Amino acid sequence: DAGVTQSPTHLIKTRGQQVTLRCSPISGHKSVSWYQQVLGQGPQFIFQYYEKEERGRGNFPDRFSARQFPNYSSELNVNALLLGDSALYLCASSLVAGTGELFFGEGSRLTVL
Amino acid sequence: TQLLEQSPQFLSIQEGENLTVYCNSSSVFSSLQWYRQEPGEGPVLLVTVVTGGEVKKLKRLTFQFGDARKDSSLHITAAQPGDTGLYLCFHKDTNAGKSTFGDGTTLTVKP
């Protein structure tokens, strides 16, 4: 079975632009979470979606938004990019919304110039 | 926000040595997870601990959850170069809908 897939794997944007990152969960997983990982730090929680509804939100500005589609895939959108948004964006899927195992993709590496 | 403090931040040892890394908080946790992340990859779950005082073993890795469920440790016996990676502790607060990773311990095991 395919694992969690994320696209694109790498991208470069300039300040003020907008970016959309995509995630396909493991088949049968209904929960998707997004994390931002800056070099040298642990991942920071951005959003969790379960059954197309937002179930949790981290301490990120409103420039960050996400959604989950009927097939449980998800998109993370970031508007008005800042240099500080440069990071690895990780998507994780899980069977349920609780404390079960998270399965991570390899991430999307965003560089903002 | 429940903070998870991990120590040490960096650890570089020779193959065959033993080591312990720590995850501490002022909050009580219903459960705690440990993940390992290798360069260019996402984190992978190693273990989930749920009971105060619990000890779990995974080959050369031993995980312990503190009696008060505020801290956890990971002990590696006879470390190997394949153990190199970023070790992260993690907690999911289902009531608040928030997830927290520690900043991790970067372990390098030299042959």
Side-chain angles (χ1 to χ4, degrees):
Chain A
D1 285 342
V4 177
T5 57
Q6 293 188 241
S7 63
T9 55
H10 296 83
L11 69 165
I12 300 174
K13 294 285 188 178
T14 57
R15 282 178 294 175
Q17 286 190 312
Q18 175 263 341
V19 67
T20 298
L21 308 177
R22 297 175 176 81
C23 173
S24 293
I26 291 172
S27 178
H29 286 195
K30 298 181 178 180
S31 177
V32 170
S33 302
W34 287 95
Y35 295 82
Q36 179 196 66
Q37 187 174 26
V38 175
L39 195 62
Q41 296 182 13
Q44 297 293 310
F45 172 66
I46 309 175
F47 288 108
Q48 182 189 17
Y49 277 78
Y50 178 71
E51 291 277 20
K52 296 166 288 185
E53 292 189 358
E54 183 181 302
R55 287 297 195 93
R57 174 185 288 250
N59 298 324
F60 280 80
D62 292 343
R63 300 185 294 108
F64 289 76
S65 63
R67 55 180 175 170
Q68 187 177 32
F69 299 98
N71 66 354
Y72 303 111
S73 67
S74 179
E75 286 183 352
L76 175 69
N77 295 284
V78 186
N79 294 322
L81 285 167
L82 304 174
L83 296 179
D85 295 330
S86 295
L88 179 68
Y89 288 84
L90 292 164
C91 172
S93 77
S94 57
L95 275 170
V96 294
T99 56
E101 179 176 1
L102 298 176
F103 294 83
F104 285 86
E106 294 185 347
S108 294
R109 173 72 63 184
L110 171 66
T111 301
V112 182
L113 302 177
Chain B
T1 302
Q2 296 171 317
L3 295 177
L4 293 172
E5 297 181 352
Q6 291 191 244
S7 62
Q9 186 177 1
F10 298 97
L11 191 55
S12 180
I13 62 173
Q14 293 295 133
E15 182 176 0
E17 293 183 2
N18 302 332
L19 67 116
T20 303
V21 299
Y22 301 91
C23 175
N24 296 291
S25 175
S26 58
S27 302
V28 176
F29 296 115
S30 55
S31 67
L32 200 75
Q33 294 179 327
W34 284 91
Y35 286 80
R36 182 174 74 196
Q37 184 177 21
E38 299 184 23
E41 299 182 8
V44 175
L45 179 69
L46 296 174
V47 77
T48 301
V49 287
V50 297
T51 304
E54 181 177 9
V55 176
K56 281 191 173 180
K57 293 191 175 183
L58 182 65
K59 297 183 180 178
R60 294 176 293 100
L61 278 60
T62 302
F63 303 85
Q64 186 162 5
F65 201 15
D67 291 340
R69 291 185 285 125
K70 292 184 178 182
D71 56 271
S72 182
S73 64
L74 159 58
H75 181 79
I76 301 179
T77 303
Q80 299 177 0
D83 296 327
T84 293
L86 177 66
Y87 288 81
L88 296 157
C89 60
F90 170 83
H91 172 69
K92 172 78 180 296
D93 184 341
T94 54
N95 291 330
K98 292 186 185 292
S99 303
T100 305
F101 275 97
D103 275 342
T105 294
T106 299
L107 172 65
T108 303
V109 182
K110 301 176 182 177

